Amino acid sequence: MRTVEVSRFVNAAPAEIERELLPERVVRFEGTFSVNQVEEGEDETAVLARGGGLQTVLVFEEREAGVAYRQRGDEGPFESMETTLTLDRENEGTRVTARSSVSLGLPVASVSDRVAAWKRRGELRRLLDALAADVE
């Protein structure tokens, strides 16, 4: 399993950013999947997403200073994937940090998980860029 982290300053208050962190927007901001269905639960929201011939279910939970989500089960591109988005007030805006742990579960994990982390880093960068463009 590999962990990647991407951080970006966003010129908006944490409350403004939190309003944009709806599960379907997060998936769209990452740019890999499109949202097909959203199921609201009591403590979590499940998003059925499809793209590139793959389907996955991402389960979102609100956190005190952000949001966390993970791939449910092994249906999807990863054997496991967990991501947290945290918001910290900084100067006149917010530092948004995306941290994700991924594993493909393939032989030679040192190579395959490195490739998965590289791809995931790109998705997280797109996510933060799109989020910033949406609120600034």
Side-chain angles (χ1 to χ4, degrees), residues 79-102:
E79 178 183 60
S80 66
M81 185 279 295
E82 298 178 4
T83 302
T84 58
L85 300 172
T86 56
L87 311 174
D88 295 303
R89 182 164 275 301
E90 183 178 300
N91 299 326
E92 298 298 316
T94 305
R95 172 69 51 187
V96 183
T97 302
R99 181 182 174 100
S100 191
S101 296
V102 296

mmCIF file of all heavy atoms in Angstrom, residues 79-102:
data_model
loop_
_atom_site.group_PDB
_atom_site.id
_atom_site.type_symbol
_atom_site.label_atom_id
_atom_site.label_comp_id
_atom_site.label_asym_id
_atom_site.label_seq_id
_atom_site.Cartn_x
_atom_site.Cartn_y
_atom_site.Cartn_z
ATOM 1 N N GLU A 79 -7.458 -2.590 -5.038
ATOM 2 C CA GLU A 79 -7.826 -3.570 -4.027
ATOM 3 C C GLU A 79 -8.365 -2.816 -2.815
ATOM 4 O O GLU A 79 -9.332 -3.218 -2.195
ATOM 5 C CB GLU A 79 -6.611 -4.416 -3.632
ATOM 6 C CG GLU A 79 -6.954 -5.411 -2.547
ATOM 7 C CD GLU A 79 -5.741 -6.192 -2.101
ATOM 8 O OE1 GLU A 79 -4.766 -5.592 -1.616
ATOM 9 O OE2 GLU A 79 -5.789 -7.424 -2.246
ATOM 10 N N SER A 80 -7.717 -1.679 -2.511
ATOM 11 C CA SER A 80 -8.213 -0.792 -1.463
ATOM 12 C C SER A 80 -7.781 0.639 -1.763
ATOM 13 O O SER A 80 -6.726 0.873 -2.364
ATOM 14 C CB SER A 80 -7.713 -1.222 -0.086
ATOM 15 O OG SER A 80 -6.313 -1.071 0.000
ATOM 16 N N MET A 81 -8.640 1.587 -1.371
ATOM 17 C CA MET A 81 -8.354 3.008 -1.542
ATOM 18 C C MET A 81 -9.115 3.767 -0.468
ATOM 19 O O MET A 81 -10.315 3.577 -0.293
ATOM 20 C CB MET A 81 -8.791 3.499 -2.929
ATOM 21 C CG MET A 81 -8.425 4.948 -3.242
ATOM 22 S SD MET A 81 -9.522 6.217 -2.557
ATOM 23 C CE MET A 81 -11.029 5.920 -3.406
ATOM 24 N N GLU A 82 -8.393 4.576 0.292
ATOM 25 C CA GLU A 82 -8.990 5.429 1.316
ATOM 26 C C GLU A 82 -8.408 6.824 1.165
ATOM 27 O O GLU A 82 -7.191 6.983 0.989
ATOM 28 C CB GLU A 82 -8.679 4.897 2.712
ATOM 29 C CG GLU A 82 -9.240 3.529 2.982
ATOM 30 C CD GLU A 82 -8.868 3.019 4.361
ATOM 31 O OE1 GLU A 82 -8.244 3.763 5.140
ATOM 32 O OE2 GLU A 82 -9.202 1.857 4.638
ATOM 33 N N THR A 83 -9.273 7.832 1.231
ATOM 34 C CA THR A 83 -8.844 9.215 1.042
ATOM 35 C C THR A 83 -9.474 10.096 2.097
ATOM 36 O O THR A 83 -10.640 9.915 2.450
ATOM 37 C CB THR A 83 -9.263 9.724 -0.360
ATOM 38 O OG1 THR A 83 -8.677 8.875 -1.341
ATOM 39 C CG2 THR A 83 -8.818 11.155 -0.596
ATOM 40 N N THR A 84 -8.700 11.059 2.595
ATOM 41 C CA THR A 84 -9.245 12.085 3.482
ATOM 42 C C THR A 84 -8.940 13.455 2.888
ATOM 43 O O THR A 84 -7.870 13.681 2.326
ATOM 44 C CB THR A 84 -8.652 12.016 4.903
ATOM 45 O OG1 THR A 84 -7.231 12.152 4.820
ATOM 46 C CG2 THR A 84 -9.007 10.721 5.595
ATOM 47 N N LEU A 85 -9.903 14.346 3.015
ATOM 48 C CA LEU A 85 -9.734 15.744 2.648
ATOM 49 C C LEU A 85 -9.887 16.544 3.922
ATOM 50 O O LEU A 85 -10.919 16.466 4.589
ATOM 51 C CB LEU A 85 -10.798 16.184 1.633
ATOM 52 C CG LEU A 85 -10.811 15.437 0.315
ATOM 53 C CD1 LEU A 85 -12.034 15.832 -0.508
ATOM 54 C CD2 LEU A 85 -9.548 15.723 -0.468
ATOM 55 N N THR A 86 -8.848 17.290 4.283
ATOM 56 C CA THR A 86 -8.899 18.092 5.506
ATOM 57 C C THR A 86 -8.756 19.563 5.164
ATOM 58 O O THR A 86 -8.073 19.931 4.207
ATOM 59 C CB THR A 86 -7.814 17.677 6.509
ATOM 60 O OG1 THR A 86 -6.533 17.773 5.878
ATOM 61 C CG2 THR A 86 -8.025 16.256 7.000
ATOM 62 N N LEU A 87 -9.412 20.387 5.974
ATOM 63 C CA LEU A 87 -9.432 21.831 5.776
ATOM 64 C C LEU A 87 -8.848 22.503 7.004
ATOM 65 O O LEU A 87 -9.305 22.254 8.119
ATOM 66 C CB LEU A 87 -10.869 22.322 5.565
ATOM 67 C CG LEU A 87 -11.705 21.564 4.535
ATOM 68 C CD1 LEU A 87 -13.138 22.075 4.537
ATOM 69 C CD2 LEU A 87 -11.085 21.671 3.163
ATOM 70 N N ASP A 88 -7.844 23.349 6.795
ATOM 71 C CA ASP A 88 -7.231 24.098 7.890
ATOM 72 C C ASP A 88 -7.171 25.564 7.490
ATOM 73 O O ASP A 88 -6.620 25.903 6.437
ATOM 74 C CB ASP A 88 -5.803 23.591 8.166
ATOM 75 C CG ASP A 88 -5.804 22.162 8.678
ATOM 76 O OD1 ASP A 88 -6.459 21.916 9.707
ATOM 77 O OD2 ASP A 88 -5.158 21.305 8.049
ATOM 78 N N ARG A 89 -7.718 26.419 8.355
ATOM 79 C CA ARG A 89 -7.669 27.850 8.084
ATOM 80 C C ARG A 89 -6.219 28.292 7.982
ATOM 81 O O ARG A 89 -5.382 27.891 8.773
ATOM 82 C CB ARG A 89 -8.364 28.636 9.191
ATOM 83 C CG ARG A 89 -8.365 30.140 8.898
ATOM 84 C CD ARG A 89 -9.338 30.921 9.723
ATOM 85 N NE ARG A 89 -10.694 31.003 9.256
ATOM 86 C CZ ARG A 89 -11.101 31.502 8.088
ATOM 87 N NH1 ARG A 89 -10.233 31.899 7.210
ATOM 88 N NH2 ARG A 89 -12.367 31.579 7.788
ATOM 89 N N GLU A 90 -5.931 29.091 6.950
ATOM 90 C CA GLU A 90 -4.577 29.620 6.739
ATOM 91 C C GLU A 90 -4.706 31.034 6.183
ATOM 92 O O GLU A 90 -5.314 31.232 5.125
ATOM 93 C CB GLU A 90 -3.814 28.727 5.756
ATOM 94 C CG GLU A 90 -2.378 29.165 5.530
ATOM 95 C CD GLU A 90 -1.636 28.227 4.593
ATOM 96 O OE1 GLU A 90 -1.526 27.031 4.913
ATOM 97 O OE2 GLU A 90 -1.186 28.702 3.542
ATOM 98 N N ASN A 91 -4.115 31.987 6.885
ATOM 99 C CA ASN A 91 -4.182 33.396 6.467
ATOM 100 C C ASN A 91 -5.634 33.779 6.180
ATOM 101 O O ASN A 91 -6.489 33.618 7.021
ATOM 102 C CB ASN A 91 -3.260 33.675 5.285
ATOM 103 C CG ASN A 91 -1.812 33.411 5.620
ATOM 104 O OD1 ASN A 91 -1.380 33.633 6.749
ATOM 105 N ND2 ASN A 91 -1.064 32.911 4.660
ATOM 106 N N GLU A 92 -5.929 34.257 4.995
ATOM 107 C CA GLU A 92 -7.280 34.675 4.631
ATOM 108 C C GLU A 92 -8.024 33.596 3.853
ATOM 109 O O GLU A 92 -9.036 33.886 3.207
ATOM 110 C CB GLU A 92 -7.230 35.970 3.797
ATOM 111 C CG GLU A 92 -6.629 37.148 4.522
ATOM 112 C CD GLU A 92 -7.430 37.532 5.768
ATOM 113 O OE1 GLU A 92 -8.671 37.584 5.701
ATOM 114 O OE2 GLU A 92 -6.799 37.764 6.830
ATOM 115 N N GLY A 93 -7.551 32.368 3.912
ATOM 116 C CA GLY A 93 -8.182 31.284 3.165
ATOM 117 C C GLY A 93 -8.066 29.965 3.899
ATOM 118 O O GLY A 93 -8.095 29.928 5.127
ATOM 119 N N THR A 94 -7.895 28.899 3.129
ATOM 120 C CA THR A 94 -7.893 27.548 3.683
ATOM 121 C C THR A 94 -6.834 26.697 2.994
ATOM 122 O O THR A 94 -6.683 26.740 1.783
ATOM 123 C CB THR A 94 -9.269 26.888 3.471
ATOM 124 O OG1 THR A 94 -10.278 27.730 4.028
ATOM 125 C CG2 THR A 94 -9.351 25.517 4.104
ATOM 126 N N ARG A 95 -6.124 25.918 3.778
ATOM 127 C CA ARG A 95 -5.209 24.909 3.251
ATOM 128 C C ARG A 95 -6.010 23.607 3.151
ATOM 129 O O ARG A 95 -6.500 23.089 4.150
ATOM 130 C CB ARG A 95 -4.016 24.729 4.183
ATOM 131 C CG ARG A 95 -3.082 23.597 3.855
ATOM 132 C CD ARG A 95 -2.271 23.752 2.614
ATOM 133 N NE ARG A 95 -1.565 25.020 2.533
ATOM 134 C CZ ARG A 95 -0.901 25.433 1.459
ATOM 135 N NH1 ARG A 95 -0.854 24.658 0.388
ATOM 136 N NH2 ARG A 95 -0.299 26.594 1.437
ATOM 137 N N VAL A 96 -6.184 23.116 1.943
ATOM 138 C CA VAL A 96 -6.898 21.862 1.710
ATOM 139 C C VAL A 96 -5.855 20.792 1.433
ATOM 140 O O VAL A 96 -5.011 20.944 0.550
ATOM 141 C CB VAL A 96 -7.871 21.971 0.521
ATOM 142 C CG1 VAL A 96 -8.646 20.665 0.348
ATOM 143 C CG2 VAL A 96 -8.826 23.143 0.694
ATOM 144 N N THR A 97 -5.920 19.704 2.193
ATOM 145 C CA THR A 97 -4.974 18.608 2.035
ATOM 146 C C THR A 97 -5.737 17.332 1.698
ATOM 147 O O THR A 97 -6.701 16.981 2.380
ATOM 148 C CB THR A 97 -4.144 18.399 3.318
ATOM 149 O OG1 THR A 97 -3.471 19.620 3.625
ATOM 150 C CG2 THR A 97 -3.133 17.282 3.154
ATOM 151 N N ALA A 98 -5.311 16.679 0.637
ATOM 152 C CA ALA A 98 -5.875 15.398 0.228
ATOM 153 C C ALA A 98 -4.810 14.337 0.453
ATOM 154 O O ALA A 98 -3.701 14.446 -0.048
ATOM 155 C CB ALA A 98 -6.288 15.445 -1.241
ATOM 156 N N ARG A 99 -5.160 13.320 1.209
ATOM 157 C CA ARG A 99 -4.232 12.229 1.520
ATOM 158 C C ARG A 99 -4.933 10.922 1.180
ATOM 159 O O ARG A 99 -6.056 10.684 1.624
ATOM 160 C CB ARG A 99 -3.860 12.277 2.994
ATOM 161 C CG ARG A 99 -2.890 11.213 3.415
ATOM 162 C CD ARG A 99 -2.617 11.334 4.918
ATOM 163 N NE ARG A 99 -1.814 10.242 5.375
ATOM 164 C CZ ARG A 99 -0.508 10.308 5.587
ATOM 165 N NH1 ARG A 99 0.137 11.430 5.394
ATOM 166 N NH2 ARG A 99 0.149 9.261 6.015
ATOM 167 N N SER A 100 -4.262 10.084 0.384
ATOM 168 C CA SER A 100 -4.890 8.855 -0.069
ATOM 169 C C SER A 100 -3.920 7.686 0.045
ATOM 170 O O SER A 100 -2.746 7.807 -0.296
ATOM 171 C CB SER A 100 -5.335 9.019 -1.534
ATOM 172 O OG SER A 100 -6.150 7.955 -1.931
ATOM 173 N N SER A 101 -4.440 6.548 0.508
ATOM 174 C CA SER A 101 -3.683 5.297 0.563
ATOM 175 C C SER A 101 -4.310 4.339 -0.433
ATOM 176 O O SER A 101 -5.531 4.144 -0.428
ATOM 177 C CB SER A 101 -3.728 4.693 1.959
ATOM 178 O OG SER A 101 -3.102 5.549 2.881
ATOM 179 N N VAL A 102 -3.473 3.765 -1.303
ATOM 180 C CA VAL A 102 -3.972 2.897 -2.365
ATOM 181 C C VAL A 102 -3.142 1.624 -2.476
ATOM 182 O O VAL A 102 -1.954 1.617 -2.177
ATOM 183 C CB VAL A 102 -3.969 3.602 -3.744
ATOM 184 C CG1 VAL A 102 -4.914 4.768 -3.764
ATOM 185 C CG2 VAL A 102 -2.573 4.043 -4.135
#
